[in-house]
Each structure stands twice: as structure tokens, then as C-alpha cells.
Amino acid sequence: MAHRLTALFLTGLALVAGPVASYAQEIMGQPQQVQQPVRRLPYAQVAVVDIPTILQQATSMRTIQQQLDVQKEQLQRDVAQQQEALRGAEQELARLRQTVSVEEFDRKRTEFETQVSATGRALQERTRRLDIAFNQARNSVINTLDQVIAEVAKETGATLVISRQFIVYQAGGAGDITAEVLERLNSRLPQVPVTVPPPTQ
């Protein structure tokens, strides 16, 4: 009886071990997959710059604002004169209502309305040209600022520059290049002329 149980056990073991051994042979026979090393990016050397402060304190931006203020003051004086002329024309139109024919009055009123529309369009056009002049001058400063930031970053070994307004936490003034960038920008671009483009035809 014991010999019979032993034979059955060995037979079952062979049935189990056979597929396992066969599978092991298949695995051993296949080439092993070579695991690629994980590619890690190098640590960035971060510099911080306060761009809004630079644009506020840059001498070039101040000269732009001064020139723009002069242009706006002249525009306000011209608008005041035009408004005064339109008020006079309106009063004259009201006076003519009682002294001229209906046809003549309608003609004068049409002329007045045309004058008002032309004055409004001229004001819009002049304001548009002032905006263009300001944006062109400001873009000149920003382009130079970008160049200066890139130069200072390269000299200090920074590989990433972040504007301070996007930083949640910063330990002290580590990596802050604002003062150096502002000083170099003022030296390279002390002033920028504001050139108002001519009226469109």
C-alpha cells in the first residue's frame, strides 16, 4: 500500500514539474530585456528678476512717459479748442433757426453734424497714433530688457530666469538679479524717443 501511494505521489509530482521545467527552459532560452537607464534632467540654476519694478524705475520708461504726457496735454488743449468751436457753431445754428428758411436751416444743420463727426474721427485717429507710438517705444525697452536679462543670466550661470511675481516663496534675495539688470538697462538704453506716426490718408 505504501509503495502504491509513493508511486502515485511521484507520478503527480512529474505531472506538475514537467510543465514548470518546460516553461523554465523557454524563459532561460529567450534573450533578456535590457532595462534602459532613467534619463534625468539636470538641476536648473534659477535666477529671479522683478520685471514690473524694472519697467517702473527704468530711465527709458520714464522718458517715454514724460513725452507721452506732453503729447496728451497738447491733445487736451486741442480738444478743448475744438469743443469751444463746436459750441459756437451750435449756438449759431440755433440762432439761424428763427431767421432762415427750413431748407437753409437743414443745410446748416447737416454741415454742423458733419463737422462734429469729423472732429470725433480726428480725435480717435490721433489717440490711436499716440497709442501706437507708446507701444513701439515700450516694445523697444522690453526687447532690450530681454537681451540684458539673457546676458546677466549667462554671466551668473543661471539656466532659468523667473519673474518675481510668480514666486510663492524665496529664501532671502538668493539668485535675485533685478538690481544688476536695471543698472545695465539704464546704461544701455537711457532714453527712447516717442515717434508719433503720421495720420492715415
Side-chain angles (χ1 to χ4, degrees), residues 54-67 141 182-183 185-192:
I54 291 176
L55 293 178
Q56 182 180 9
Q57 297 181 3
T59 56
S60 53
M61 288 300 297
R62 291 180 178 177
T63 61
I64 291 173
Q65 188 61 51
Q66 290 171 356
Q67 295 173 75
V141 177
L182 176 60
E183 180 180 0
L185 177 64
N186 287 339
S187 175
R188 183 171 303 180
L189 196 67
Q191 60 181 359
V192 175

Side-chain angles (χ1 to χ4, degrees), residues 17-157:
V20 173
S22 176
Y23 178 72
Q25 289 177 357
E26 290 181 14
I27 294 298
M28 295 299 292
Q30 293 179 358
Q32 297 294 318
Q33 296 289 336
V34 178
Q35 186 175 4
Q36 297 295 329
V38 178
R39 179 172 174 267
R40 300 187 182 278
L41 296 175
Y43 288 106
Q45 301 297 321
V46 181
V48 179
V49 62
D50 191 340
I51 293 178
T53 296
I54 291 176
L55 293 178
Q56 182 180 9
Q57 297 181 3
T59 56
S60 53
M61 288 300 297
R62 291 180 178 177
T63 61
I64 291 173
Q65 188 61 51
Q66 290 171 356
Q67 295 173 75
L68 187 62
D69 289 342
V70 171
Q71 294 281 353
K72 285 183 176 180
E73 290 175 1
Q74 182 61 51
L75 177 60
Q76 290 174 352
R77 288 194 293 268
D78 293 344
V79 169
Q81 292 178 356
Q82 292 170 355
Q83 288 177 339
E84 183 65 24
L86 288 176
R87 279 194 293 268
E90 186 177 24
Q91 292 173 357
E92 177 65 16
L93 183 63
R95 186 184 65 79
L96 290 175
R97 189 182 188 93
Q98 307 298 328
T99 59
V100 299
S101 65
V102 174
E103 292 77 10
E104 179 68 12
F105 176 78
D106 288 342
R107 187 179 65 81
K108 292 290 186 181
R109 184 180 61 184
T110 300
E111 292 177 356
F112 174 73
E113 291 173 350
T114 301
Q115 184 181 2
V116 171
S117 298
T119 301
R121 287 194 301 270
L123 175 60
Q124 291 178 351
E125 170 66 11
R126 193 168 173 181
T127 302
R128 185 188 68 84
R129 291 188 289 119
L130 281 178
D131 289 340
I132 292 175
F134 173 77
N135 289 331
Q136 289 177 342
R138 188 176 186 274
N139 288 339
S140 176
V141 177
I142 292 176
N143 291 336
T144 304
L145 174 59
D146 289 343
Q147 297 172 9
V148 170
I149 290 175
E151 292 173 5
V152 176
K154 184 177 181 180
E155 293 170 6
T156 57

